[in-house]
Amino acid sequence: MGQAMYGPQAHEGAGPLPGAPAPPLYGDGGSRAYEDIAERNRSEVTRRLFLGSARAMVNRQAGFLLLYLLVGNLAALSGIILYRIWLKMTDPGNPILKSTDLLHSGQDQWMGFAYIAMSLSGMAFLALMRRRQMEDPGPYGIFRRTGRKMTPAVFFGAVGLILTAQAISFIYGFGMDQTLGWLGVSTGTGADAAGSGSLAFFIYASFLAPIGEELVFRGAVLGALKPYGKVFAIITTATMFGFFHGVLTQGFFAFMVGLVLGYIACEYSIFWSMALHMCNNFVIAGGLDYLTGFLSGNWLGAVQLAVPVVGILAGLIVLPLARVRIRDFIRANRADSAIYSSWRSIWFIVLLLIEGCTALLSVLP
């Protein structure tokens, strides 16, 4: 019963299909021909029903993400407005009140709390909207377990692929920075998020964001799409995850990492994808930011050069070793290519347009 809210409905034919020719009455050969025609018609109808169900499910998941985004942003904005109201009542001369930029006028600590409010409200929205999926212990539930045991080789192989994604994103970002810089605009990759220097933002980025994003993307959305094929579910979820970040270079990186995390969540559990997500945000990204904050000159340049080198080396080691595993997984879990026609669903297109425009606006002066 829990799967009916977010999983596909079964479609089983009973008897001859409407419009199928009547069975001939003059011999076994004619009867077999009729059965062949009826079976082909039944298969085609079943395929169309399946593709229609997939399109409706993608539409539903994209709509859910739009609402999730709206709730989170409203919570963050409400927190900032309440903070300014409190300042106006207690400290009317505070220079923060002179700024009309609500998103970047607050103190770092309070902006960090706004991010925390956004994350917690998003998780509360998830619990409200997907309670049955959270309670479902089956293969499409949020906290599903596969029974497969995580091994050090798989875990550190996934870390290596995340490093490779970091390297590709670094090279891609550098090229984009140079190209857009020549045009007189910036990707915005060098700017820190408002509040990024605060303890509250550190808690959000290192722990709350990985937990919340994994619950939503690799838990709710991937679990709902998995009945249509694991490969399709992983690619579709990773695409929405990449666009969801709303920044050109970061979105490209998020898509690549989303592929890795999607595989881990499908084959092992969402708890391992959370651990890897935290490892990226806290250890890899956070550690690099902390390290480069103390460096300058040649040392800073050496570290910045080491990032893509280490990532490319990690990919050259991990990908050949995992080649057979990746190939077998794709062969066993890919779906009919027509399933990707479900990306034409209205809310999926709206989600990509909104986040794509947000990314493009971030490069404008």
Side-chain angles (χ1 to χ4, degrees), residues 171-304:
I171 296 170
Y172 165 77
F174 178 79
M176 181 169 289
D177 280 337
Q178 296 301 310
T179 302
L180 293 179
W182 180 72
L183 296 174
V185 295
S186 170
T187 59
T189 55
D192 293 331
S196 60
S198 67
L199 175 62
F201 185 86
F202 171 79
I203 294 172
Y204 160 76
S206 299
F207 303 104
L208 290 180
I211 292 173
E213 290 176 357
E214 291 308 304
L215 287 173
V216 170
F217 286 94
R218 259 65 63 178
V221 176
L222 190 145
L225 296 178
K226 197 167 68 167
Y228 303 95
K230 290 181 181 179
V231 172
F232 166 74
I234 290 172
I235 292 175
T236 303
T237 304
T239 300
M240 290 191 282
F241 185 60
F243 273 87
F244 194 79
H245 283 72
V247 180
L248 289 177
T249 51
Q250 190 179 8
F252 182 63
F253 169 71
F255 168 76
M256 293 185 288
V257 172
L259 297 176
V260 178
L261 297 178
Y263 170 80
I264 295 298
C266 271
E267 294 299 282
Y268 296 92
S269 82
I270 193 174
F271 299 104
W272 284 112
S273 67
M274 286 181 186
L276 282 166
H277 201 149
M278 290 182 189
C279 180
N280 173 71
N281 286 24
F282 177 54
V283 179
I284 300 175
L288 284 174
D289 287 344
Y290 181 81
L291 180 61
T292 55
F294 289 93
L295 299 176
S296 60
N298 293 335
W299 284 107
L300 178 60
V303 170
Q304 291 175 335

Side-chain angles (χ1 to χ4, degrees), residues 82-94 97 110:
L82 289 174
Y83 171 58
R84 289 171 68 94
I85 292 174
W86 180 77
L87 279 182
K88 193 170 184 65
M89 295 173 60
T90 60
D91 186 14
N94 195 300
L97 297 174
W110 288 100

